[in-house]
Amino acid sequence: MPQTFDPATERADLPFFPMARAAGCPFDPPPEARAGQQEDPLRRVRLWDGSTPWLVTGHAEQRTLLADPRVSSDPDRPGYPSSVPRDPGGSSISFILMDDPEHARLRRMVTAPFAIKRVRALRPAVQKIVDGLIDDMLAGPKPADLVEAFALPVPSLVICELLGVPYTDHGFFQSKSSTIIKRDAAPEQRFAASQALSAYLDALMGDKLDRPGDDLLSGLAERVRAGELTRGEAAQMGVLLLIAGHETTANMIALGTLALLEHPDQLAILRETDDRAVVASAVEELLRYLNITHNGRRRVALEDIAIAGRLIRAGEGVILANDVGNRDPRVFPEPDRLDLRRDARRHVAFGFGVHQCLGQPLARLELEVVYGTLYRRVPTLRLATELERVPFKHDGSVYGVYELPVTW
Ligand code: HEM
């Protein structure tokens, strides 16, 4: 008989989620979040609003639930375990927060530009961007902030080119995005940032309707003209792609570099190889090990679901902690060891199921070019401060570093 749970009597004893990382272990998920992973991969936690969703920590249980159509990504459903107060204006970031068939209808409209073959053709352009930024950094003053000089511009330039967003606006969209994903930003600030970015994408959509170019947003404008999509839907898709397209990869570049600098034997593997397969496998391991989307995938059950001896009732929230899933020893032996030579391909850093990351071929390409170039071109790259002084993004829904002072 699956066990149930009585929130009225048991709520107070529950651990608060998200938990804090242990001091001195900036790359490991919070120890408290990992408790019971083997024997009890589903347990209750308490959120900022007093709600008590399930926290799922087992890798297998996460994949099962993420692939289950009985769980919903719609934050407007009662019981959805929101990480922050919801915008009363109701703005929500496109299809990442929708269920099928609406989700599939919108996602299908942008799958072609992210298909593996199309993305692979971008390699020379990405390589040129990476080389140019390294040239500029080397010609500039030391120490440099790797985030500002390199980690943020690489994916921002790439996604701007792909979408048809002017890169000259990067200061604006980077600052709005970072406010939107900051968990402890004041709600009003977050709503304002979200509205500003929506208005910006809406205006851009107006330009693309008037003067279409050869870019993804112009492709969406074409669909608006054909009546397949409203202008508002197109603008919200632009917001999603612009935020997802630069924030995540930027954090993987900076945090990945820091992790490698802290593991010199692993860094040496990348510095000494020109084998693309070795670099590609290193990308998977860094994605697994760092799992920057550290707030968990959020869902709500639409029906009762029995799993791992527990019963999730319809209307209960579920948080799939993919950072913890990626450290499940049943799937990854010695999970806390950064081992660029392991086969890490079963990681859930890009999620799983219908919402699995749309941009993963692009993220992989950018990371392959970056990890395959930066340490070979700057073999003496090192941290220009102590690890303890590096400002980590504990307060964001995407983990990383705010700054990374480096020298060479
Ligand atoms: C290393 C970089 C990246 C990581 C770690 C990452 C991670 C993720 C994760 C975990 C999800 C699943 C969300 C969920 O299940 O709730 C997701 C979805 C998504 N990602 Fe990424 N992402 C990355 C880069 C990108 C890039 C470059 C793009 C390009 C625009 C992108 C676009 C998207 C979109 C559109 C979705 C929503 C998919 C859907 O709901 O069907 N991501 N990403």
Side-chain angles (χ1 to χ4, degrees):
M1 184 65 187
Q3 285 176 36
T4 55
F5 165 85
D6 178 5
T9 53
E10 295 174 54
R11 185 192 314 256
D13 300 333
L14 294 176
F16 186 78
F17 185 86
M19 291 112 180
R21 287 176 194 257
C25 290
F27 308 118
D28 292 344
E32 211 188 335
R34 304 172 72 174
Q37 186 185 43
Q38 309 285 323
E39 59 286 359
D40 196 12
L42 266 85
R43 67 203 163 92
R44 292 280 191 154
V45 289
R46 192 167 40 95
L47 300 192
W48 60 278
D49 59 356
S51 63
T52 55
W54 295 95
L55 181 71
V56 183
T57 54
H59 181 273
E61 292 77 12
Q62 289 179 0
R63 298 212 326 176
T64 302
L65 285 168
L66 285 170
D68 192 327
R70 294 173 298 171
V71 299
S72 164
S73 290
D74 180 354
D76 290 331
R77 286 185 185 274
Y80 180 90
S82 208
S83 59
V84 287
R86 296 272 300 143
D87 186 344
S91 104
S92 80
I93 309 178
S94 193
F95 57 86
I96 195 167
L97 299 178
M98 292 177 186
D99 296 330
D100 286 347
E102 268 305 271
H103 157 265
R105 177 180 77 87
L106 296 175
R107 178 170 167 137
R108 246 195 320 268
M109 292 186 190
V110 284
T111 45
F114 293 100
I116 294 180
K117 230 169 144 188
R118 285 272 287 276
V119 166
R120 278 198 188 135
L122 300 175
R123 187 178 270 268
V126 173
Q127 185 71 56
K128 199 166 156 210
I129 288 173
V130 166
D131 282 332
L133 288 165
I134 295 175
D135 288 342
D136 293 349
M137 189 176 84
L138 293 178
K142 293 195 263 188
D145 173 15
L146 191 84
V147 173
E148 203 188 321
F150 186 72
L152 255 179
V154 170
S156 302
L157 279 159
V158 173
I159 199 70
C160 280
E161 185 62 35
L162 195 79
L163 295 182
V165 169
Y167 183 70
T168 39
D169 294 338
H170 71 274
F172 167 78
F173 71 73
Q174 286 167 350
S175 85
K176 299 299 170 213
S177 305
S178 74
T179 305
I180 291 169
I181 63 165
K182 212 175 199 168
R183 212 171 37 222
D184 22 335
E188 304 69 40
Q189 252 184 333
R190 202 173 32 252
F191 306 154
S194 162
Q195 270 161 21
L197 208 50
S198 297
Y200 171 76
L201 261 303
D202 182 70
L204 210 51
M205 197 48 67
D207 293 348
K208 305 287 178 189
L209 281 164
D210 292 344
R211 289 177 300 280
D214 182 19
D215 51 57
L216 193 153
L217 292 183
S218 297
L220 290 181
E222 186 56 51
R223 288 180 185 269
V224 173
R225 221 176 288 113
E228 293 170 34
L229 192 64
T230 67
R231 177 166 164 171
E233 284 174 330
Q236 281 312 111
M237 274 159 96
V239 172
L240 168 60
L241 296 172
L242 187 57
I243 298 180
H246 80 277
E247 267 293 344
T248 44
T249 314
N251 283 300
M252 271 306 296
I253 294 173
L255 192 66
T257 298
L258 178 60
L260 289 163
L261 291 171
E262 292 297 306
H263 294 83
D265 57 326
Q266 299 299 302
L267 179 59
I269 296 173
L270 285 171
R271 204 189 283 128
E272 286 155 22
T273 189
D274 57 4
D275 182 343
R276 277 197 194 165
V278 172
V279 180
S281 150
V283 167
E284 299 310 313
E285 170 64 350
L286 282 156
L287 284 162
R288 177 196 76 84
Y289 181 73
L290 297 172
N291 198 110
I292 52 167
T293 55
H294 68 154
N295 258 358
R297 322 290 9 107
R298 310 248 169 168
R299 302 290 190 268
V300 55
L302 298 175
E303 294 174 26
D304 289 358
I305 302 173
I307 181 166
R310 299 283 199 169
L311 182 67
I312 304 173
R313 289 193 187 281
E316 288 181 345
V318 186
I319 300 176
L320 300 305
N322 48 336
D323 54 344
V324 180
N326 277 339
R327 302 294 183 99
D328 189 332
R330 286 169 293 193
V331 185
F332 305 106
E334 289 190 72
D336 296 340
R337 200 154 64 83
L338 175 66
D339 175 6
L340 300 192
R341 294 199 190 279
R342 82 161 80 219
D343 180 358
R345 280 174 300 179
R346 294 187 72 217
H347 69 72
V348 279
F350 286 128
F352 195 71
V354 293
H355 288 280
Q356 189 169 146
C357 181
L358 171 77
Q360 58 187 293
L362 184 60
R364 287 194 164 103
L365 172 71
E366 292 179 34
L367 295 175
E368 280 172 33
V369 174
V370 164
Y371 297 151
T373 307
L374 181 62
Y375 321 118
R376 285 167 66 77
R377 283 208 51 201
V378 197
T380 56
L381 189 76
R382 60 186 187 279
L383 202 54
T385 184
E386 289 107 54
L387 182 64
E388 295 68 45
R389 298 177 76 103
V390 174
F392 288 92
K393 294 183 174 176
H394 293 293
D395 56 349
S397 54
V398 181
Y399 190 55
V401 293
Y402 283 107
E403 263 172 50
L404 193 66
V406 292
T407 191
W408 50 89

